Amino acid sequence: MDPEILEFDIGLGGGGSSGRDGDDDANIGLDVDEDMADSPAPSSILASNSNGGGFGTGGGEIYLPEGDLLDLEPYEGMEFESEEAAKAFYNSYARRVGFSTRVSSSRRSRRDGAIIQRQFVCAKEGFRNLNEKRTKDREIKRPRTITRVGCKASLSVKVQDSGKWVVSGFVREHNHELVPPDQVHCLRSHRQISGPAKTLIDTLQAAGMGPRRIMSALIKEYGGISKVGFTEVDCRNYMRNNRQRSLEGDIQLLLDYLRQMQAENPNFFFAVQGDEDQALTSNVFWADPKSRMNYTYFGDTVTFDTTYRSNRYRLPFAPFTGVNHHGQPVLFGCAFLINESEASFVWLFKTWLMAMSGRPPVSITTDHDAVIRSAITQVFPETRHRFCKWHIFKKCQEKLSHVFLKHPTFEADFHKCVNLPESIEEFESCWLSLVDRYELRDHEWLQMMYNDRRHWIPVYLRDTFFAEMSITQRSDSMNSYFDGFVNASTNLNQFFKLYEKALESRNEKEVKADYDTMNTSPALKTPSPMEKQASELYTRKLFTRFQEELVGTLTFMASKSDDDDDVITYQVAKFGEDHKSYYVKFNVLEMKATCSCQMFEFSGLLCRHVLAVFRVTNVLTLPSHYILKRWTKNARSSVILEERSSDVYTNYLESHTVRYNTLRHETFKLVDEGSKSLDTCNVAIDALQQAAKRVALATKNEGRATLVNGRIRGDSARDASRSNTTNHKMPCQPLSEDDMDKKIRELTNELDYASRKCEVYRSNLLSVLKDIEDHKLQLSIKVQNIKISMKDGL
């Protein structure tokens, strides 16, 4: 009787097979997981090997299918319509039994090269060649587990003259345990994504869902993971391939858009890593002219955010942002990163730096990522790198979820430990107490974050400028520049319309803030000349923040704790709270102060502790070096001006304050030395009396001096004497001490007048330049308002 011919639907198996002869059970270039070969096997029975032959690591034991499965196994002489049908049948048999298959070897016809024999084997057949040339001499970063154990189970088929394929050999025994039915879906050759599953994945992916959430939906839909038929790794790989196919048209749209923008404005910058022909696998960066100009004014601190995945392809859209003079986020450029390797980030940072004229920032904030840190170290070796604290807090909720559930107070204690310590010692003590209280000393992730503490704990970062008004509150700049415009379902075709809307909206907000600053006056809360000065210099938001600090000084007491010649140390604390003190070191002669809280170094605004010391030392206005131009109304001014007050009155107050503090400082030193004994006291009193007489005489002579034709003249007798001396060219006579004093006073008065006159000229010039800048700004606001009204009209 002719052998039975079986027709088998090849769709029943082999969907996940790599189809590579003699290769390991691996998916090259994709996320890989290993077959679950070490699981218990209730669907198999143990039988003795009568031959005693070694089956690899099987130790002389063989595993056979049990029960009704024997009726479904292949046999020699079984025929199939095609090689694919034979492969599908053997894979289906393997699924029922509990093992994975692969194609092992083939034999070709010498006549025409066609395949005439195939062998299908258990995936655990053979052994891995550890001395293979392609892996022997190179370091393997992520070595795979060894799955081959020398299993002999196989099915051999060969083609007949009729074109049909017949089973020529079958080995049913395995030297390893077989996989139970509820785990078969994890085996390589049995993992395939059906048509309906692909449709559902496509729909959910377009809605912005990730692989994990999609798998949860599929498990619920099919009634269990074993019924889904594939793993999350397969889902992730399918979505990645799907994205890659979808990118071809849209990436071209991206490049076309960038080329168009550059054609319209030569100052528009964009770059593609490698050749533009390879853009599908390369990274892209661009910066419009406004972004590049923004960096010239506000490029001292930068935020680089790779966590904002803006579109359905899950490409990391990474904007470079900063903070403008109103405390608003401002854009410095954007990138699409198709891959996030270290080389890609190095290329991106170098390209961005080139677009920003080669001037690196003072500080940069990024997500917590070792690859980014390495790239920043290479490209910005002098830039202070900080990890975003709020991203770390978010990650903490994931990594320590069990602690959050068990201890409701942990979150508050963790935030206090991070934000509140005023010194490194205080933080270290608080951290140890926290990990001991919640038994977290051995928590791997928390220990890693502690090792990186200098990159995200505020107390380690306060000596560097980050343009943040508060250490404990989240800065507006840390919110994504594109929030409210771009979301997870936005595709690249939609992206640039929304990108332009975001730019327009941010620009309108800055124009509105400029208008409010230039056309409204803030309410002053004190009679202090310093408050009035700040209201005329700072933008509205920054003045409000400075005003809070100035008013806050009213609750603080400043007392001298140490005097080291030119530098005096003050202890500053709230009334009745001496246990919580801040220390301010004040150099009287240089008018420079530093506080232990380091608020000025961190934010660019003076703290209430320094302002309290200024109050008790009679410093009436802000010294010029404490007014950062980036926080002033003229931050975008192209005119280079000194960072100081622009009217005569303010300059007078400042110079008067310097003179007053210098005299007081020297007088206190004299008093301290003179009070040590009676003799030194008498000498000091005599010196003070002599000094008082000379000051009174100088004041009297200064008051008598008059201005004539721009020159200082004394009484008529002195003028006549000077005239006779000049006209008759009398020989020089030795001057008496009184005459020398008079001459010095005359020259001093002339010098003082010349200085005042120069100050008036300078003040007038600054006033004119300021008026020009104000006029330019008002014109800019009017132009923006006209553009907005025209768009609304259209």
Side-chain angles (χ1 to χ4, degrees), residues 78-80 82-83 115-116 157-159 163-166:
M78 180 182 289
E79 288 189 353
F80 299 93
S82 65
E83 175 196 346
I115 295 175
I116 59 175
V157 293
K158 61 182 180 180
V159 68
K164 294 182 173 59
W165 289 74
V166 64

Side-chain angles (χ1 to χ4, degrees), residues 206-444:
M209 289 177 64
R212 186 172 300 175
R213 292 178 62 194
I214 289 177
M215 279 303 294
S216 297
L218 288 167
I219 291 169
K220 187 175 181 180
E221 176 73 16
Y222 285 90
I225 182 66
S226 61
K227 295 182 180 179
V228 172
F230 53 90
T231 66
E232 185 179 325
V233 172
D234 301 313
C235 179
R236 192 181 301 275
N237 288 334
Y238 172 77
M239 292 173 66
R240 183 179 300 163
N241 293 334
N242 207 20
R243 289 193 298 268
Q244 202 68 26
R245 288 192 298 270
S246 302
L247 276 174
E248 295 179 5
D250 285 347
I251 285 291
Q252 190 59 48
L253 289 176
L254 164 64
L255 295 176
D256 290 345
Y257 173 86
L258 296 177
R259 292 190 189 101
Q260 178 186 346
M261 297 301 292
Q262 191 174 60
E264 293 175 0
N265 191 329
N267 289 325
F268 185 95
F269 181 97
F270 86 94
V272 178
Q273 187 177 7
D275 297 330
E276 288 189 24
D277 296 336
Q278 301 173 343
L280 292 180
T281 57
S282 300
N283 300 315
V284 182
F285 168 78
W286 74 93
D288 60 35
K290 185 173 178 61
S291 295
R292 302 175 73 183
M293 186 60 68
N294 285 338
Y295 187 78
T296 63
Y297 301 125
F298 309 113
D300 39 20
T301 185
V302 175
T303 297
F304 175 63
D305 187 3
T306 55
T307 63
Y308 195 95
R309 297 177 182 270
S310 65
N311 51 67
R312 65 178 176 174
Y313 310 121
R314 314 301 276 183
L315 284 178
F317 167 60
F320 291 86
T321 60
V323 186
N324 69 8
H325 52 323
H326 299 292
Q328 300 168 334
V330 62
L331 192 64
F332 296 146
C334 301
F336 272 117
L337 295 174
I338 294 181
N339 63 77
E340 298 184 23
S341 65
E342 182 176 320
S344 294
F345 283 118
V346 169
W347 171 84
L348 175 62
F349 292 147
K350 286 182 177 179
T351 304
W352 175 78
L353 190 61
M354 179 173 61
M356 301 299 128
S357 303
R359 180 169 62 92
V362 173
S363 60
I364 187 168
T365 302
T366 72
D367 192 16
H368 180 255
D369 187 283
V371 175
I372 294 177
R373 173 163 58 180
S374 178
I376 285 176
T377 302
Q378 296 177 52
V379 183
F380 308 119
E382 303 300 323
T383 297
R384 188 70 178 273
H385 183 201
R386 177 179 69 165
F387 298 136
C388 178
K389 181 177 59 177
W390 303 102
H391 291 160
I392 292 175
F393 281 160
K394 188 175 180 181
K395 197 73 173 177
C396 179
Q397 294 175 352
E398 175 186 332
K399 297 291 185 179
L400 299 172
S401 56
H402 61 290
V403 182
F404 279 72
L405 291 173
K406 186 177 179 181
H407 303 285
T409 60
F410 172 77
E411 183 174 13
D413 289 344
F414 183 70
H415 280 252
K416 288 177 184 177
C417 178
V418 169
N419 291 320
L420 298 187
E422 296 290 342
S423 67
I424 292 174
E425 294 75 15
E426 186 180 347
F427 164 75
E428 296 286 352
S429 175
C430 184
W431 184 274
L432 289 176
S433 175
L434 181 79
V435 295
D436 284 343
R437 188 184 319 141
Y438 294 101
E439 299 178 349
L440 294 170
R441 269 186 181 263
D442 298 326
H443 193 279
E444 184 179 352

Side-chain angles (χ1 to χ4, degrees), residues 711-750:
R711 297 182 60 83
I712 298 180
R713 297 187 57 186
D715 52 52
S716 57
R718 186 170 70 242
D719 291 337
S721 173
R722 181 189 299 169
S723 177
N724 290 334
T725 301
T726 303
N727 292 335
H728 297 291
K729 299 182 187 237
M730 294 178 64
C732 294
Q733 299 291 331
L735 295 176
S736 66
E737 186 175 346
D738 290 341
D739 290 337
M740 289 179 64
D741 289 342
K742 289 179 181 179
K743 188 68 175 178
I744 290 172
R745 284 196 296 271
E746 289 176 8
L747 294 174
T748 301
N749 288 336
E750 289 188 32

Side-chain angles (χ1 to χ4, degrees), residues 67-95:
D68 296 337
L69 296 177
L70 295 173
D71 299 333
L72 302 174
E73 68 183 17
Y75 55 88
E76 289 190 23
M78 180 182 289
E79 288 189 353
F80 299 93
E81 284 295 324
S82 65
E83 175 196 346
E84 289 77 13
K87 175 184 174 183
F89 172 79
Y90 187 58
N91 195 60
S92 177
Y93 163 77
R95 181 182 181 90

Side-chain angles (χ1 to χ4, degrees), residues 675-724:
S675 61
K676 291 181 178 179
S677 69
L678 182 60
D679 290 340
T680 56
C681 181
N682 291 331
V683 172
I685 290 174
D686 184 59
L688 286 172
Q689 289 174 347
Q690 291 296 325
K693 290 178 181 179
R694 297 186 67 179
V695 169
L697 181 61
T699 304
K700 183 178 179 181
N701 289 333
E702 186 179 16
R704 289 168 55 190
T706 57
L707 295 176
V708 178
N709 293 330
R711 297 182 60 83
I712 298 180
R713 297 187 57 186
D715 52 52
S716 57
R718 186 170 70 242
D719 291 337
S721 173
R722 181 189 299 169
S723 177
N724 290 334

Side-chain angles (χ1 to χ4, degrees), residues 501-551:
K501 276 191 175 182
L503 264 60
E504 186 177 314
S505 174
R506 292 295 184 184
N507 186 52
E508 288 175 8
K509 288 181 179 179
E510 182 174 337
V511 169
K512 178 66 166 58
D514 282 337
Y515 179 85
D516 291 341
T517 294
M518 301 302 296
N519 293 280
T520 61
S521 298
L524 303 183
K525 297 182 179 180
T526 72
S528 167
M530 188 180 291
E531 185 183 16
K532 184 175 186 300
Q533 174 198 19
S535 71
E536 295 172 352
L537 292 173
Y538 288 133
T539 60
R540 188 65 61 247
K541 180 171 182 178
L542 270 294
F543 170 72
T544 301
R545 185 67 187 87
F546 173 82
Q547 190 178 53
E548 291 175 7
E549 294 299 311
L550 186 65
V551 173

